[in-house]
Amino acid sequence: MRILHTSDWHIGRTFHGHSTMDALAEVLAALTAQVQENAVDVVVVAGDVFDSATPSGPAYTLLGDALVALHETGARVIMTSGNHDSAARLGFQARLLRDGIHVLTDPLAVGEPITIADADGPVHFFGIPYLEPAIVRQHWPEGDAEGRQLRTQAQTMAHAMHLVRVGMAQHSGRSVAIAHCFAAGVDATIGLEREVRQGGLDVVPLSVFDGPDYVALGHIHGRQQISERVRYAGAPLHYSFGEQHKPRGSWLVDLDADGLAGVEWLELPVPRRLVTLTGPLEEILSEANVAAHIDDWVCAIYTDAAPQAEPMRRLRESFPFCAMVQHQPEVVAEERERSYSQRLRAAVTDAERIDAFLEHVRAGHGPTETESRLIRAVLDDRVRAEALV
């Protein structure tokens, strides 16, 4: 059996205020072509189908179009909900979908597989929706196999995989588990979810996934091989500049009569490249940069000592797709090591204190000669005013 593992479509997400709907439609069309070309039997979508719990009308339309196109290739589709999805909204029409499209959002059904047979016998697909402990704890008040209350996602996922293994014991044959979580062993540089970056780490040990022939994971936006049979496919689009160097694609998984036979990476096209340009603003706006990146999404980090006037307007005149601008002045190493409090303690006069403040807020660059004259004139006026009181 041939399986295509994808995840984290995030239909409806914007990129710095720009819609990604057309770009995602283009990429999903390419993915559908790969399904056709590689004679894929089952497409697995491991959560975060939508970017919001309340998707817009066009988001539903794009999902419907993608599912219809995949179904027309002859492949079956198995989809689970992620933390960005509303399980109820994603799953409400599950029973109305045409044969061959399965949307799995019910925590109580994790031990009940979708079974698809090939020439080598049945393959059982166990779909685990995203499990928020505080929400799904009510479904398992008895706790885990040892009677402990489910308080963390790691505990909850461990219990869900226990139920999967019980289901595997009841259904002989090969098996695939689908889940949406943060697994131990993930490289933290490959494009983490916003919630993960903000500190919402609840790591699921790799041993939790023992048993199935393949485990298709979602939640991480870059491809990851945690083990030979436990992998993340990542998102099909770049959704942040932090992901710009990471390939986009999906895993093509082959199962033979004995289980996992091979895994191959299928690259997806990138509708518009992402690039980060760093240096003085005039250097970023050079003819060479403009010629090379005029059609790219651009993040500009300019290093001039002082903030420049209207940098985004100037950048967009040369880079129509400039999405982000940051001011990060270059700082002399020794000045960086010297703290603001140290400079303030060393100051004797008010003028020196103001100089220290300006150096602090300007990343080591103090007042210009004109500013120094103005500061001292103001201070002299204050002294004269105080003398008259």
Side-chain angles (χ1 to χ4, degrees):
M1 180 173 291
R2 179 158 279 184
I3 301 163
L4 189 81
H5 167 199
T6 177
S7 71
D8 295 273
W9 289 2
H10 286 280
I11 301 174
R13 175 170 284 195
T14 58
F15 179 77
H16 295 276
H18 301 269
S19 172
T20 62
M21 209 74 80
D22 290 344
L24 182 58
E26 178 183 337
V27 171
L28 292 181
L31 183 145
T32 301
Q34 291 177 344
V35 169
Q36 182 80 55
E37 294 164 5
N38 292 280
V40 170
D41 300 297
V42 181
V43 177
V44 167
V45 186
D48 277 357
V49 179
F50 292 119
D51 189 59
S52 167
T54 55
S56 65
Y60 278 109
T61 300
L62 178 54
L63 175 60
D65 291 345
L67 291 177
V68 168
L70 288 170
H71 183 268
E72 288 177 349
T73 68
R76 307 280 286 272
V77 180
I78 301 176
M79 178 177 291
T80 61
S81 53
N83 57 301
H84 279 255
D85 299 308
S86 162
R89 285 188 172 89
L90 182 63
F92 87 97
Q93 57 184 346
R95 288 180 293 179
L96 306 178
L97 291 171
R98 64 192 67 195
D99 182 48
I101 300 176
H102 308 273
V103 181
L104 309 180
T105 62
D106 183 3
L108 293 178
V110 297
E112 302 170 13
I114 300 296
T115 300
I116 301 172
D118 66 0
D120 295 314
V123 178
H124 307 292
F125 292 83
F126 294 88
I128 304 174
Y130 179 75
L131 301 174
E132 183 63 48
I135 296 175
V136 303
R137 191 182 301 139
Q138 60 179 319
H139 299 310
W140 299 307
E142 72 282 2
D144 61 16
E146 299 178 9
R148 296 172 299 188
Q149 188 177 25
L150 305 178
R151 297 186 179 278
T152 68
Q153 193 185 38
Q155 291 175 320
T156 307
M157 184 62 68
H159 182 60
M161 281 301 300
H162 165 72
L163 297 177
V164 166
R165 283 185 283 272
V166 170
M168 289 171 57
Q170 296 171 349
H171 300 82
S172 60
R174 296 156 294 167
S175 59
V176 173
I178 310 162
H180 196 86
C181 65
F182 188 83
V186 164
D187 178 356
T189 69
I190 43 70
L192 300 184
E193 282 266 24
R194 288 172 297 197
E195 292 79 2
V196 174
R197 289 200 306 269
Q198 291 165 0
L201 289 175
D202 193 354
V203 179
V204 180
L206 180 60
S207 60
V208 163
F209 301 108
D210 288 348
D213 295 287
Y214 185 77
V215 179
L217 295 179
H219 195 41
I220 303 301
H221 285 187
R223 70 176 182 186
Q224 278 287 285
Q225 178 180 333
I226 308 303
S227 74
E228 183 61 27
R229 59 180 191 82
V230 181
R231 298 172 187 247
Y232 287 94
L237 271 183
H238 291 115
Y239 286 117
S240 74
F241 282 103
E243 303 170 17
Q244 68 188 63
H245 300 299
K246 309 304 177 184
R248 304 288 89 170
S250 53
W251 292 112
L252 186 64
V253 181
D254 282 310
L255 300 182
D256 61 16
D258 298 319
L260 184 62
V263 184
E264 177 186 352
W265 178 252
L266 296 183
E267 199 92 7
L268 282 170
V270 177
R272 191 178 304 284
R273 293 186 310 163
L274 280 70
V275 62
T276 299
L277 303 178
T278 303
L281 187 58
E282 293 304 323
E283 181 181 303
I284 291 174
L285 292 169
S286 68
E287 290 185 7
N289 271 336
V290 173
H293 303 296
I294 192 168
D295 293 322
D296 297 341
W297 287 117
V298 171
C299 170
I301 301 176
Y302 72 95
T303 59
D304 301 70
Q308 300 297 294
E310 301 184 29
M312 181 59 89
R313 179 189 62 77
R314 295 173 61 188
L315 285 160
R316 283 187 173 166
E317 287 175 353
S318 298
F319 303 103
F321 302 101
C322 183
M324 188 176 181
V325 59
Q326 296 178 359
H327 179 218
Q328 293 183 8
E330 292 181 339
V331 183
V332 180
E334 50 268 28
E335 288 294 338
R336 186 185 294 116
E337 294 171 0
R338 191 180 177 200
S339 71
Y340 174 52
S341 60
Q342 289 173 323
R343 292 198 297 270
L344 200 58
R345 283 195 298 270
V348 176
T349 66
D350 286 343
E352 290 174 344
R353 294 187 183 94
I354 294 172
D355 290 353
F357 173 76
L358 290 175
E359 288 180 16
H360 174 64
V361 298
R362 291 177 173 178
H365 296 275
T368 64
E369 290 184 11
T370 301
E371 289 171 336
S372 292
R373 287 196 299 269
L374 180 60
I375 291 167
R376 279 151 182 77
V378 170
L379 292 175
D380 289 344
D381 288 344
R382 190 197 68 181
V383 170
R384 283 193 292 268
E386 289 176 348
L388 296 173
V389 175

